Structures are given as structure tokens and as C-alpha cells.
Amino acid sequence: MNMPKIPLGAWVDSLVDWITIAFAGLFSLITSAIEGLLNFLVDVMSVGPSIVLIIVFTLLVAYTSRWPLGIFTLISLLLIDNLGYWESSIQTLAIVILSGFLTILIGIPIGIWCAQSNTVRKIITPILDFMQTMPAFVYLIPSILFFGIGVVPGIIASFIFAIAPTIRMTNLGIQEVPKDLIEASDAFGSTSSQKLFKVQLPLATPTILAGVNQSIMLALSMVVTASLVGAPGLGADVYRAVSQINVGQGFEAGLSIVFIAIILDRITQNLRKPAYEHIVSRKIVISILAVLVVVAALFGTITKENAVKGDPNSIGGQTNYKIIGIEPGAGLMKQTRDALKKYELNNWQLVEGSSAAMVAELKKAYNKKEPIIVTGWSPHWMFSTYDLKYLEDPNNSYGGAENINTIVRKGLEQDAPGAYTILDQFAWKTSDMEEVMVDVTGGMDPSKAAEKWINANQDKVAEWTKGAQTGNSESIKLVYVAWDTEIASTNVIGKVLEQNGYKVTLSQVEVGPMYAGIANGSADATVSAWLPSTHLEYYNTYKNNFVDLGPNLKGTKTGLVVPKYVDINSIEELK
């Protein structure tokens, strides 16, 4: 059909932009409140040595779920501490507990409202269907724009993703209260509130707690997804392990998440009827926990250092001593961590996330003319969209100008000689790449932007395909990282290969899997190898198992980037 495309995406973008501006004050308030609550939880659970919290959790699990699970809790938490993931576990627990608290605070009242009003239920049900079926990653996009990069958008996205079971089960539990009990309460002249709190909610409590349990498990399942926007904890450890192909670290962090999931699941399942309630009253246990929380909070307040990192009017004070980074496994992130050490910037924090999250945070700060420091590279469309500059690097932490190389698997020359020739002869300039990136940034599909550039640059394409044997529908798998430069180059070379008789598949992966895939032969090639510095660690690891065809683009650059209105010029000025 030749019907014009409905600009739904553009409408959504406009709506999100309007909401971001119109409710900026509200979002700032919510961000401060959530960060304050999260910091409180982390401080309370971090008071004293780790063994204190381990014993508390062990006793709580043993009380609710019997002593065998208490022993399991003790062993598993000691193992987490031994493996070095205790601090990450504390952060993950705080995120999940806070998400669960928000779920209870908002989800149960909405569920009650649904049970009492057919109209509300008819409105809320399709919304819940939408929330449960929409991919969780989608929630991260507006969350970044509304709340910035960090833990807050991760918590908000987790809350939205996890709240549906609490609402549904609360509604279901109240509706399943026997009608004769409702009639009896009405006959005795109960008010609506008396009927709700003395009849319906007590009888519906098991169902409601089952919904809360499901919501907590869903929130825990979001910890890895939330790490894409800078949320700390075990999710970030898993994400880092995936991007770096670190199997051991991934298993350790994943196992820690499993232990925490089991512990939280058993506590929430048996909290209503603890196994040893006949020995110690539930009210006594809850009172003891409340006292422990208060004591820990007071102790943490007294002992917490209130050291000021520096002048609040300095660039560090204005940016909260944060550098907005990208994917944790990217070579650029390793370079930045090394730079922080070389320049002794001990107060600064490199925030892990993703390339998209970094750009979103840059856009948000730039529109408000607020100072911000990001990890950047060129060519990149953000330099043509925003007025930016690199900070000088006297210690040469980021190296000099770099190249983007083409690397292919061993045996490709014999299996697909024409494709090998085209990949070997592929080379273009920064200006060429930027043409494609600008079109993609403007909303054009990457494949369409690639076709547009190819049609306008047939002379350059002819140089790449000169002497290349035409393919016979052989499959070629190209892998790339989700940088705008690589999206542009991979789509262009992919279209050229298709036009020369090859069946091309494009696969977006992290940098570690990209190199590993070519080295083990599960991928054929990439035109995304940043050398000699950015991807050096991965290159050295796998260099004996692939063929380096040399640069396809010369003169790239990486480093710390700030808007030109920020009054600093060198990394040394961050001290």
C-alpha cells in the first residue's frame, strides 16, 4: 500500500518533549525524593560490617521459612560477600525494596479502586495489558529524558514494569471475597471503610501478597535492564561481564542475583504466616526490625562523613562530579577510567550506561545550558547538532588520532572471495560517514540512509567493488556495536554487499561479543574496530584468530567532551 506513514513516532517525540519541559519541576522533585530514599536504604543496610546484615537476613528467613532456608541464606550471603559482590548486592536490594515499596504504595490503592468501580476497572485493565506487553526497554527511553541518567530512571522503569501484578491481584482478591460475608457486613450496618478494612482486605491479603511477591520478582528481573541507564548493583556487573565476555564474572554476579531472588521470594511468600510465629509473635519481630532500622539510620547519620568534595561553584560541584559514559565494556570507558587515575581525579564518578543514554543526557543538559561532561568520539552526529569541544589531554590518556579498521574471520577469503575483496577495499572519509549519520539522526531508516548515500556516491562504491567477484547468495554476517558511526558504516557496506549478490545479515552486539564472534567464526566481518587504543584489549585477546584488513576510516578521535559554553578547556581543570 502506498498510504503515507502516520507520524506516530514524531507525535510521541513531541509529547515527550512537551512533558519534559512542562513538568521539569515535578520530575526534579521525584528524582530528589527517590534518590533520598535510595541513599537512606543503602546507608541503613551498609551500617557496620556485612556480617550484621547477613545475620539479620538469616534470622528473618529462618523465622518466616524455617531453619533449612535460614542456613541456605547464611551460606549464600557469605558466598556473595566472599566473591566481592556485597556492595553491589546492597545496591540491588535497595533498588528492589524501593521499587516494591512504590508498588505497594500505589498499586494496592489502584487495585482497591478497580474492585470498587467497574468503570475504573474497564479503564485500568487495558492500560495494564499495555504495560505488561510493552518491552521493558521502551520504558527507559522517556525515563532518561524525564529523570536523567542514573538509578532513578531504572527504578521508575522497574516500577512501571512490575506494578501490574499487584494491581491485578488486589482487584482479584477483593472481588473473590464471598458475597455472603459482604451481605452480613452490610446487614450489621458496616460503613464502606469498615467493610473494606475489616472484611475485604483481611480476606484478600493472601492474594494481595502473592501479587506483591510477583511484583518484587519482576522488579528484580529488571536490574540488568536498568543498568543500561546507569543503575548500579549486580545488574551493572552482569552487563559489564556480557560486554567484556567475562564468563566468570557473569556467572558470579548472576548467581548473586539468584540468591537474592530466592531470599526475597521466601520472605514475601511466608511473611503473613511465619513458620515460627507460635514461638515469637510477628508483631515482636516487626517491632525489632523497626528498631534496628531506626538505630542503623541514627548511627549512619552520626558517623556519616559530611566532607565537601570541593567548591560547589566549580565544574565538579555543578556536575555532581559525574562523567556520563556509555556501555561499560567499551574501550572508551577503559580509557576514561585510566584517565581518571592518571589525572588523580579521585572524586569523580564515571557513570556507566549506553550510548543512547549518554546522548539523551547531553541533549537534556544542552537545552538547559547546564554543564555536563560526557565520553565522546568523532565522527559523531552530536558534533554537528551541538556546539561541543574536546577537553585537552596533556597526559595523552586517550592516545592520538585513531582509525576504524575492518576485520574478518579466517577463511572468508576462500568462502566468499568477492565479499572479502569488497571489505578489503572499503574506505571512506569522515564527511562521507557524517552524511549517513545526519540522515539517520533525522529519522531516516539506516538502510534507506545507506541507499541514499550509495546512489549519490557511485564512483566511490565502484572503487570498493573493483575486481570483486559477484556473489551467489552466500550469507555474510556483519556485526557492529551500537555507535552511530558503526550503524552508518555497517549499513552502507551491507547494502553494497547485497547489491553484489550476497545475502547480508546485520547483528548489533557489544564490543566483546563482536570480536569473539569473528574470532570463533560465528560472524564474518566487522567494519567497527577502533584502533590502536579504544579496542586494544579486545584486539590483543583475539588477534591470532581473525584477519585485520586495515583502516576503512582514518582520523577518528576519543576523549572527554563538553559543550563550548562550559568554561574549561583541559582535563587537568577537573582537579
Side-chain angles (χ1 to χ4, degrees):
M1 298 177 65
N2 294 322
M3 292 177 60
K5 178 184 175 181
I6 298 175
L8 181 59
W11 294 343
V12 173
D13 288 339
S14 299
L15 176 62
V16 169
D17 289 340
W18 177 80
I19 293 174
T20 303
I21 297 172
F23 296 96
L26 175 62
F27 295 142
S28 178
L29 178 63
I30 293 173
T31 299
S32 299
I34 291 178
E35 285 182 342
L37 287 171
L38 186 69
N39 291 335
F40 170 78
L41 288 172
V42 172
D43 290 343
V44 166
M45 289 190 288
S46 300
V47 168
S50 58
I51 190 63
V52 175
L53 187 61
I54 291 174
I55 292 174
V56 170
F57 268 109
T58 299
L59 293 175
L60 183 58
V61 173
Y63 173 72
T64 58
S65 308
R66 298 191 178 279
W67 64 266
L69 277 171
I71 294 176
F72 168 82
T73 300
L74 177 64
I75 295 173
S76 61
L77 293 181
L78 286 173
L79 178 60
I80 290 174
D81 191 19
N82 176 264
L83 294 175
Y85 293 96
W86 184 251
E87 184 177 344
S88 295
S89 297
I90 291 294
Q91 293 170 328
T92 296
L93 275 169
I95 292 171
V96 174
I97 290 172
L98 183 53
S99 298
F101 170 74
L102 294 175
T103 295
I104 294 171
L105 185 66
I106 298 175
I108 292 179
I110 294 177
I112 294 172
W113 195 14
C114 289
Q116 294 179 337
S117 172
N118 288 331
T119 302
V120 173
R121 184 164 61 252
K122 289 177 181 178
I123 295 173
I124 295 295
T125 298
I127 295 175
L128 294 179
D129 294 338
F130 175 87
M131 291 167 60
Q132 286 188 291
T133 53
M134 177 65 72
F137 287 94
V138 176
Y139 298 132
L140 296 177
I141 304 172
S143 295
I144 296 169
L145 298 175
F146 296 157
F147 304 103
I149 197 171
V151 70
V152 176
I155 290 176
I156 296 296
S158 299
F159 160 72
I160 294 172
F161 182 69
I163 194 174
T166 296
I167 297 175
R168 290 187 188 277
M169 298 299 277
T170 300
N171 172 41
L172 178 63
I174 292 176
Q175 286 189 331
E176 287 186 339
V177 173
K179 299 296 182 184
D180 54 347
L181 294 179
I182 300 297
E183 292 173 358
S185 65
D186 289 335
F188 282 100
S190 299
T191 64
S192 297
S193 59
Q194 288 174 330
K195 182 167 59 178
L196 174 65
F197 288 104
K198 294 186 178 182
V199 179
Q200 292 173 309
L201 285 181
L203 293 172
T205 297
T207 306
I208 293 173
L209 287 179
V212 171
N213 173 268
Q214 291 182 30
S215 292
I216 290 175
M217 293 300 102
L218 286 174
L220 187 58
S221 72
M222 279 285 290
V223 296
V224 177
T225 303
S227 67
L228 295 173
V229 292
L234 293 170
D237 293 325
V238 171
Y239 183 31
R240 192 178 303 112
V242 170
S243 61
Q244 296 175 346
I245 310 295
N246 192 327
V247 179
Q249 180 183 338
F251 180 80
E252 291 174 350
L255 187 63
S256 300
I257 293 176
V258 171
F259 288 152
I260 290 175
I262 293 173
I263 291 169
L264 292 177
D265 177 66
R266 297 304 184 269
I267 290 175
T268 53
Q269 274 191 10
N270 302 310
L271 192 59
R272 183 171 179 266
K273 291 184 178 181
Y276 297 114
E277 187 177 15
H278 62 285
I279 299 175
V280 182
S281 170
R282 185 174 48 173
K283 292 182 179 180
I284 294 177
V285 173
I286 293 175
S287 299
I288 292 173
L289 287 175
V291 170
L292 288 176
V293 169
V294 172
V295 170
L298 291 174
F299 183 79
T301 302
I302 294 172
T303 59
K304 189 176 181 180
E305 294 183 2
N306 294 315
V308 179
K309 288 183 177 179
D311 182 3
N313 295 319
S314 67
I315 182 63
Q318 295 178 60
T319 58
N320 200 25
Y321 289 87
K322 291 182 179 179
I323 296 172
I324 309 302
I326 54 174
E327 293 80 4
L332 176 57
M333 294 292 280
K334 182 180 185 302
Q335 288 178 321
T336 303
R337 283 189 283 268
D338 292 342
L340 293 180
K341 292 179 182 178
K342 286 184 179 180
Y343 287 97
E344 299 180 350
L345 302 176
N346 301 321
N347 288 336
W348 287 83
Q349 175 189 358
L350 177 59
V351 180
E352 298 175 343
S354 64
S355 305
M358 179 274 289
V359 172
E361 192 72 359
L362 173 62
K363 176 184 177 182
K364 184 178 178 181
Y366 194 91
N367 290 339
K368 296 180 179 180
K369 296 299 179 185
E370 294 176 347
I372 186 173
I373 304 172
V374 303
T375 54
W377 64 94
S378 54
H380 193 287
W381 61 265
M382 65 183 181
F383 286 93
S384 59
T385 304
Y386 308 113
D387 204 7
L388 307 174
K389 63 182 178 182
Y390 281 99
L391 294 182
E392 295 175 6
D393 180 18
N395 291 343
N396 200 32
S397 299
Y398 291 92
E402 289 199 300
N403 301 323
I404 305 179
N405 284 25
T406 301
I407 60 176
V408 302
R409 66 172 174 84
K410 289 185 174 181
L412 181 64
E413 185 175 11
Q414 292 74 35
D415 297 339
Y420 182 92
T421 300
I422 293 172
L423 288 164
D424 190 22
Q425 296 178 163
F426 170 57
W428 59 348
K429 296 180 180 179
T430 299
S431 57
D432 298 320
M433 179 182 280
E434 287 177 343
E435 285 183 34
V436 182
M437 286 194 293
V438 169
D439 285 337
V440 174
T441 305
M444 186 179 293
D445 182 88
S447 63
K448 297 294 183 184
E451 288 180 357
K452 177 184 175 183
W453 186 90
I454 290 170
N455 292 334
N457 295 272
Q458 287 294 319
D459 54 335
K460 294 180 181 179
V461 175
E463 294 177 6
W464 305 343
T465 59
K466 184 178 180 181
Q469 178 180 325
T470 303
N472 188 27
S473 297
E474 294 97 326
S475 294
I476 299 294
K477 185 174 182 179
L478 302 178
V479 287
Y480 64 100
V481 292
W483 288 13
D484 297 272
T485 47
E486 276 51 69
I487 292 172
S489 60
T490 306
N491 274 273
V492 167
I493 194 64
K495 283 295 178 184
V496 172
L497 288 170
E498 282 183 354
Q499 292 175 2
N500 282 266
Y502 294 94
K503 184 179 179 181
V504 180
T505 301
L506 308 184
S507 297
Q508 177 183 311
V509 295
E510 294 294 332
V511 60
M514 180 180 76
Y515 278 86
I518 297 170
N520 64 28
S522 59
D524 294 302
T526 182
V527 292
S528 309
W530 284 62
L531 298 168
S533 299
T534 304
H535 291 170
L536 180 62
E537 181 179 355
Y538 301 101
Y539 186 90
N540 287 337
T541 300
Y542 299 103
K543 63 183 179 181
N544 295 325
N545 298 310
F546 59 68
V547 179
D548 185 353
L549 299 181
N552 59 64
L553 187 145
K554 297 181 178 180
T556 67
K557 185 176 181 180
T558 59
L560 295 184
V561 175
V562 299
K564 285 189 177 179
Y565 59 74
V566 177
D567 190 24
I568 58 170
N569 296 300
S570 172
I571 299 177
E572 289 186 320
E573 296 179 52
L574 301 179
K575 293 183 179 179

